[in-house]
Amino acid sequence: MSYPQPQDYNNGHGESEEKGSRFAITTLSARIAAMISFIVAIAVFQTNDAKINDTGYVYTYKDFRSYKYGFWVALIGLGYTVLQVPFSIHYMMRKKHLINSYAFLKFDFYADKVAALVVTTAAGAVFGATMDMKKYAWRDEVQSFLSVSYIAAAFLLVGSIACWISSLHSSLALSNKLRSHF
């Protein structure tokens, strides 16, 4: 019985002469896109507020649980992504993983899956809460606040897609490592 050979992501010519392959560049691009998306979502959550003129009360993301969840997921996702970017840069430059052990690749595999799943739930929570609250918003200030919240949700969704792309790449890296042992 023969086992499938590891995939070559360098245009079928083995190791390319250039500094990175399409696979490594895509991995790094996905991590950077996620990082930028998280930064924008955090900035939108922090700067979005609505002041009610009658009472003087100011609504922020802290007043709604789903928005707080979205904010903290974006913040933790940003931290995780910032930690992963140097590994992606090293992989792109050297065409091998900085820590090339099975345990690390397995950790990366599961961590990417969890990160992508949690970011996806945060995007869904923020979209859902915004849609539900817009039905019952009674003031223009609150409507404006909720409309801007869609921007944070959209960037969480973009970050989610980028995390799923990174997750796919960590799956391929782990499977290639497993195939190389047989």
Side-chain angles (χ1 to χ4, degrees):
M1 173 179 225
S2 65
Y3 291 99
Q5 297 300 315
Q7 291 289 327
D8 181 13
Y9 296 101
N10 294 315
N11 300 327
H13 303 299
E15 292 295 318
S16 64
E17 295 297 321
E18 47 191 63
K19 284 275 184 189
S21 66
R22 286 185 293 171
F23 181 77
I25 291 170
T26 307
T27 303
L28 180 62
S29 299
R31 300 253 189 231
I32 290 173
M35 186 171 60
I36 291 169
S37 296
F38 295 146
I39 289 170
V40 172
I42 290 167
V44 170
F45 279 126
Q46 287 285 333
T47 58
N48 189 18
D49 60 7
K51 183 176 182 180
I52 305 301
N53 292 331
D54 298 346
T55 62
Y57 187 76
V58 178
Y59 284 104
T60 66
Y61 77 94
K62 297 174 187 173
D63 294 316
F64 306 99
R65 288 187 180 135
S66 59
Y67 292 168
K68 281 195 283 190
Y69 176 65
F71 172 79
W72 286 107
V73 165
L75 192 64
I76 292 168
L78 176 63
Y80 175 72
T81 306
V82 165
L83 290 175
Q84 288 290 335
V85 166
F87 292 107
S88 297
I89 291 172
H90 183 272
Y91 182 70
M92 186 184 79
M93 300 298 286
R94 304 283 163 93
K95 296 184 188 93
K96 59 182 173 179
H97 294 281
L98 185 61
I99 302 172
N100 198 22
S101 71
Y102 173 71
F104 179 75
L105 291 176
K106 195 171 180 181
F107 170 78
D108 196 29
F109 171 80
Y110 287 116
D112 279 345
K113 301 286 182 271
V114 169
L117 181 66
V118 171
V119 173
T120 303
T121 62
V126 174
F127 268 123
T130 304
M131 286 179 60
D132 288 344
M133 287 189 287
K134 276 190 83 66
K135 292 178 192 174
Y136 304 108
W138 63 98
R139 298 190 180 250
D140 291 337
E141 299 94 351
V142 177
Q143 285 285 343
S144 172
F145 170 78
L146 295 172
S147 295
V148 173
S149 296
Y150 277 127
I151 297 170
F155 277 100
L156 281 173
L157 183 62
V158 169
S160 169
I161 292 167
C163 284
W164 282 112
I165 292 170
S166 297
S167 175
L168 175 69
H169 285 199
S170 64
S171 299
L172 292 172
L174 182 62
S175 67
N176 286 342
K177 180 74 170 178
L178 289 174
R179 283 190 204 137
S180 68
H181 283 290
F182 292 110

